[in-house]
């Protein structure tokens, strides 16, 4: 065993990784896709969504926050875990107001793409039809909380990439919502449409205005290939 | 509706082989005379309300969801409205022609669907033919070759829609100020390979329609006939134009009521009446008032209103049809079928012309200008003139939406045709048969109503008919499941 490499298995496949990586990063490096929603490369992990749940030595953990270790046995591509992930995605769908047929990010939405990948056909849980606010006050961007999955990517991107602190969370539990750092909506923040935080939203919650539907059906990121295929095209242990 | 009427009430609920959900009530007095007829629209959609608060660029994609039959009309009309909002007064040639191609593809498939799938069973087998035969399956059994052509005609139109809008149903091609894709050489060549066949089949469909009508010309000219005004858009030179133009209205005799009206002025000319027994409004021409201002829209009104058609085969057919009335408007409901088939041929000719136009391969797809807060546009949907009107706030959100849908425009004419046919065929009859009720439906079907989008249907469409005496007792009942 080298001090700079740890060896472990994911679904029986031997994986070698630097010791300072998380399971999800190590899996990405070798072309193994672990479904995720709140995780984004270039941002510190949030551990919010639990979609990347894997089992390590039989115990469920977040792949995005759990460090690799010598000899661990990781389960990822199992029906049990996919079922759990499907339940999470389903809860996100029924808690929000997601109308994919007329949503401008359909075809590039990670929530929608995960639902397709995990074969979520139609939610079995009751929809909440919660009243959510749409902040359209900013001249160039909008924040549609109907589509927010509370992943916190915009919060982290604003802090760590834009150094602005535009977004945050407020309230707890079912009342939790994304908030903006102003008393009068997005228009009174220092957010611009070119900020990094404007490109990280996995759904159609935080969107640049007046660009909807410019990409034709068939050319959108997930029209032809499922989410995760960009990782899976890598060769294992290459 | 109360059944305690002075006479008897006949209810056709729902009307079948139409798009959407409606019912007919016919009140007869004790002598069996028709007292009152109504064509009710009993579904409600409400799109005008729930686009409020959404962004204007979402309108073309949201609003089209109110229909699965001709969503392209709503998609394009909303896009044309948003063109006004983004200040795109003139689209690029590629954008304009891609949208036109989409629209002609839709008209082709919609007219083929209506004629073959919905109406040909009545025309081929008779209005009172056995119900087991009087449906599209009956057509397939009786004439598989024609049925196959009908299906493939639709398919061709749907593939055109997919190539221009991205999907066969509910695409996203038209966007504010233009289009999001062009037509590739590969796509073009696939369509070019079959367009002459499609043209030939469109001619055959028209010939079939003419043959049926000419065999009983007097009957068809008088069946459900009544005088009406006619409304449609026409090109500036009076040519038939299904995609864009200015509004023209004619009387039943062909006198111009108004002409060359611009979309933004529509409210000066058209108003809508609400009646408590239907979810569908009753539009009318303001200057003529509610009683006399109602009008027909759709293929018949368009052919009556235009001065000429700019494709040779369709123009020849238009001239032949209009010679029946000496060039004056035709006011026969069943002439809708004939005119619909002329338009299907016109659409096929237009598609051929467009496919040979290299502008479709252009890459300049979007234009914009000075933003406006109000946008109004119209288009000739397969079923008639369609109006979209949106107003937005400073945040780009829609604050007002008004849709006057093709079938809504034909609301009063459909009520009229029910009235005329009830008087001609049910008056004095002590027993109603399924065939007699279908006769009423044949009149409605001629208008190709799309009731879903007109009210902004779900489920099965059983027919339920009750004859109720003046005491409110059911004395005769028929149901079709």
């Amino acid at each position: 065993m080298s001090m700079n490499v740890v060896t472990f298995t994911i679904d029986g496949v031997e994986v070698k990784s630097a010791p300072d990586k998380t399971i999800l990063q190590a899996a990405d490096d070798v072309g193994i896709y672990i479904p995720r929603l709140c995780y984004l490369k270039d941002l510190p992990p949030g551990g919010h969504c639990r979609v990347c749940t894997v089992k390590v030595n039989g115990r469920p953990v977040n792949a995005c926050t759990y460090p690799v270790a010598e000899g661990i046995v990781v389960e990822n591509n199992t029906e049990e875990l996919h079922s759990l992930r499907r339940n999470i995605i389903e809860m996100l769908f029924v808690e929000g107001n997601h109308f994919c047929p007329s949503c401008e990010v359909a075809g590039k939405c990670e929530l929608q793409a995960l639902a397709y990948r995990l074969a979520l056909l139609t939610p079995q849980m009751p929809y909440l039809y919660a009243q959510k606010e749409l902040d359209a006050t900013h001249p160039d961007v909008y924040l549609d909380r109907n589509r927010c999955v509370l992943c916190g990517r915009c919060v982290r991107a604003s802090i760590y990439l834009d150094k602005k602190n535009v977004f945050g969370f407020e309230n707890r539990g079912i009342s939790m919502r994304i908030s903006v750092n102003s008393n009068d909506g997005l228009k009174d923040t220092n957010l611009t449409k070119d900020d990094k935080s404007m490109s990280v939203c996995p759904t159609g919650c935080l969107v640049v205005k007046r660009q909807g539907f410019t990409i034709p059906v068939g050319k959108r990121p997930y029209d032809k290939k499922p989410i995760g295929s960009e990782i899976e095209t890598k060769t294992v242990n290459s | 509706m109360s059944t305690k009427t002075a006479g008897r009430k006949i209810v056709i609920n729902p009307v079948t082989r139409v798009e959407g959900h409606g019912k007919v009530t016919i009140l007869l007095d004790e002598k069996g005379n028709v007292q009152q007829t109504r064509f009710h629209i009993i579904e409600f959609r409400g799109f005008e309300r729930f686009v409020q608060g959404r962004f204007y660029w979402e309108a073309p994609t949201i609003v089209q969801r109110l229909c699965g039959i001709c969503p392209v009309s709503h998609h394009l009309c909303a896009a044309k409205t948003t063109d006004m909002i983004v200040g795109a007064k003139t689209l690029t040639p590629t954008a304009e022609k891609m949208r036109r191609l989409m629209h002609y593809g839709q008209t082709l498939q919609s007219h083929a669907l209506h004629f073959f799938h919905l109406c040909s069973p009545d025309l081929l087998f008779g209005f009172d033919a056995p119900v087991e035969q009087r449906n599209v399956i009956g057509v397939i059994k009786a004439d598989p070759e024609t049925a196959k052509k009908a299906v493939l005609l639709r398919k061709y139109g749907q593939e055109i829609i997919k190539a221009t809008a991205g999907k066969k149903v509910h695409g996203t091609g038209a966007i504010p100020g233009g289009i999001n894709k062009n037509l590739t050489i590969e796509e073009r060549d696939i369509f070019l390979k079959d367009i002459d066949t499609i043209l030939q089949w469109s001619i055959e469909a028209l010939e079939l329609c003419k043959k049926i009508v000419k065999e009983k010309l007097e009957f068809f000219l008088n069946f459900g006939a009544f005088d009406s005004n006619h409304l449609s858009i026409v090109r500036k030179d009076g040519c038939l134009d299904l995609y864009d133009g200015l509004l023209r209205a004619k009387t039943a005799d062909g006198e111009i009521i108004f002409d060359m009206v611009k979309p933004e002025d529509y409210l000066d000319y058209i108003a809508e009446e609400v009646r408590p027994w239907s979810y569908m409004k009753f539009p009318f021409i303001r200057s003529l008032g509610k009683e006399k201002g109602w009008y027909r829209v759709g293929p018949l009104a368009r052919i009556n209103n235009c001065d000429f058609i700019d494709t040779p085969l369709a123009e020849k057919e238009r001239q032949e049809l209009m010679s029946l009335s000496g060039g004056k408007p035709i006011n026969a409901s069943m002439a809708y079928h004939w005119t619909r088939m002329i338009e299907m041929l016109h659409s096929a000719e237009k598609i051929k012309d467009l496919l040979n136009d290299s502008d479709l391969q252009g890459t300049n797809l979007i234009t914009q200008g000075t933003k406006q807060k109000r946008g109004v546009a119209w288009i000739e949907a397969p079923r008639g003139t369609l109006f979209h009107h949106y107003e937005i706030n400073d945040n780009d959100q829609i604050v007002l939406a008004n849709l006057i849908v093709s079938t809504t425009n034909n609301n009063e004419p459909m009520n009229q045709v029910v009235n005329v046919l009830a008087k001609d065929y049910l008056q004095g009859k002590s027993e109603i048969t399924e065939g007699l009720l279908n006769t009423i439906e044949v009149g409605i079907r001629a208008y190709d109503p799309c009731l879903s989008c007109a009210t902004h249907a779900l489920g099965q469409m059983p027919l339920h008919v009750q004859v109720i005496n003046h005491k409110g007792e059911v004395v005769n009942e028929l149901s079709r499941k």
Side-chain angles (χ1 to χ4, degrees), chain A residues 4 8 24 31 44 55 76 85 89 91 152 156 160 167 174 185 211 218 225:
Chain A
N4 293 323
F8 63 102
L24 193 144
K55 278 192 173 179
N76 170 46
R85 293 163 181 159
I89 299 299
M91 285 189 280
R156 284 173 280 150
Y160 297 108
F167 303 99
I174 196 70
Q211 294 185 355
K225 293 179 181 174

Side-chain angles (χ1 to χ4, degrees), chain B residues 6-10 26-37 419 422-424 426-430:
Chain B
R8 298 184 304 174
K9 181 171 78 169
I10 300 170
I26 302 164
L27 295 180
L28 306 176
D29 66 15
E30 289 177 52
K31 292 178 183 172
N33 295 318
V34 173
Q35 268 191 334
Q36 181 194 68
T37 58
N419 189 267
K423 285 176 177 166
D424 286 352
L426 296 188
Q427 190 137 295
K429 295 275 193 323
S430 57

Side-chain angles (χ1 to χ4, degrees), chain B residues 37-56:
Chain B
T37 58
R38 281 176 175 172
F39 178 43
H40 310 250
I41 310 304
I42 50 177
E43 59 180 64
F44 184 73
R45 304 300 291 272
F47 272 70
E48 287 156 319
R49 178 63 188 85
F50 55 70
V51 294
Q52 288 179 23
R54 297 310 312 178
F55 298 102
Y56 68 80

